[in-house]
Amino acid sequence: MSVKPDEEIMLAADPIEDVEVGTDEELKTYDGDILHALLAAANYQQSEDETYTMRVVRKKVVLFTFRVRPLSEEQYDRCREKNTKYVRNKRIGVKVPESTNSVRYRSQLIYEATIPEDRAKIWDNKQMWEKLNVASGVDAIDKILMSGEKDKILEQIDAISGFDNNELEETTKN
């Protein structure tokens, strides 16, 4: 059981180049053109054509592949909201989160990150739903992927979405 990442994912996981602390020349790449730098960063986040191939491999056989794209912070939040149970606090009169179904949340993230063409072909395959006795693509992910496979896929989605970037944290601290 394994999930083989696309080689581009490894590059996307570390989009910040190594820069020696104390040298200002490398840090001033966009100096004087901050608008261009900000627009380049915004376009990188919103790129819809950026996809990476996931391969589900068991016993050295590629069972199927599908493509994923980076998720925005709003998409992560929407997936969490869909899988969180809320209750009304009688004392203060507002809804508060009671629990989050983490298994379904993880499947929801994979479903959301899968590009629409592959989602329709794989996760939303009605014939497969009938055979697996599931009611949605998110439920199908729970039945098809092993827990460890989901972990590896989610690590890669997090990496391409910018959530696995320790270098940025180090640069910010200095």
Side-chain angles (χ1 to χ4, degrees):
M1 162 210 57
S2 68
V3 176
K4 298 292 182 191
D6 191 318
E7 289 299 318
E8 293 177 31
I9 289 176
M10 304 323 292
L11 296 173
D14 191 17
I16 308 282
E17 294 179 26
D18 288 333
V19 176
E20 290 182 31
V21 177
T23 61
D24 292 332
E25 285 185 31
E26 290 90 353
L27 296 176
K28 292 185 178 181
T29 304
Y30 284 105
D31 193 32
D33 192 7
I34 192 69
L35 177 61
H36 180 66
L38 295 172
L39 292 175
N43 285 337
Y44 179 78
Q45 279 186 340
Q46 299 169 359
S47 177
E48 291 292 325
D49 58 343
E50 181 181 354
T51 63
Y52 302 91
T53 302
M54 299 289 123
R55 294 171 190 86
V56 177
V57 180
R58 294 186 188 154
K59 296 182 182 180
K60 299 183 181 183
V61 175
V62 177
L63 297 178
F64 63 96
T65 64
F66 62 99
R67 293 168 293 166
V68 295
R69 59 182 170 71
L71 294 175
S72 68
E73 190 171 1
E74 291 81 17
Q75 290 169 312
Y76 273 92
D77 192 48
R78 193 170 42 244
C79 289
R80 184 185 48 77
E81 291 280 329
K82 282 182 180 179
N83 295 289
T84 300
K85 180 181 177 184
Y86 291 89
V87 294
R88 184 167 299 283
N89 184 319
K90 293 177 184 176
R91 208 174 82 206
I92 57 176
V94 296
K95 287 184 179 179
V96 294
E98 181 181 50
S99 64
T100 299
N101 183 339
S102 62
V103 173
R104 189 162 172 81
Y105 169 65
R106 291 159 32 97
S107 296
Q108 186 82 44
L109 288 172
I110 293 170
Y111 182 83
E112 187 72 28
T114 304
I115 65 165
E117 299 86 38
D118 289 353
R119 189 184 310 154
K121 187 171 52 176
I122 299 170
W123 310 130
D124 291 339
N125 183 324
K126 305 287 188 210
Q127 292 174 332
M128 185 243 332
W129 286 9
E130 289 176 17
K131 295 201 184 285
L132 293 177
N133 196 27
V134 296
S136 71
V138 175
D139 295 333
I141 291 171
D142 284 337
K143 293 265 186 164
I144 294 169
L145 296 176
M146 294 181 189
S147 181
E149 292 169 337
K150 286 170 52 173
D151 269 347
K152 289 178 183 177
I153 291 168
L154 288 170
E155 282 176 17
Q156 293 167 5
I157 291 169
D158 286 347
I160 64 175
S161 299
F163 284 105
D164 189 31
N165 193 347
N166 298 328
E167 179 111 8
L168 180 61
E169 195 173 297
E170 288 176 22
T171 305
T172 306
K173 287 179 187 175
N174 295 330

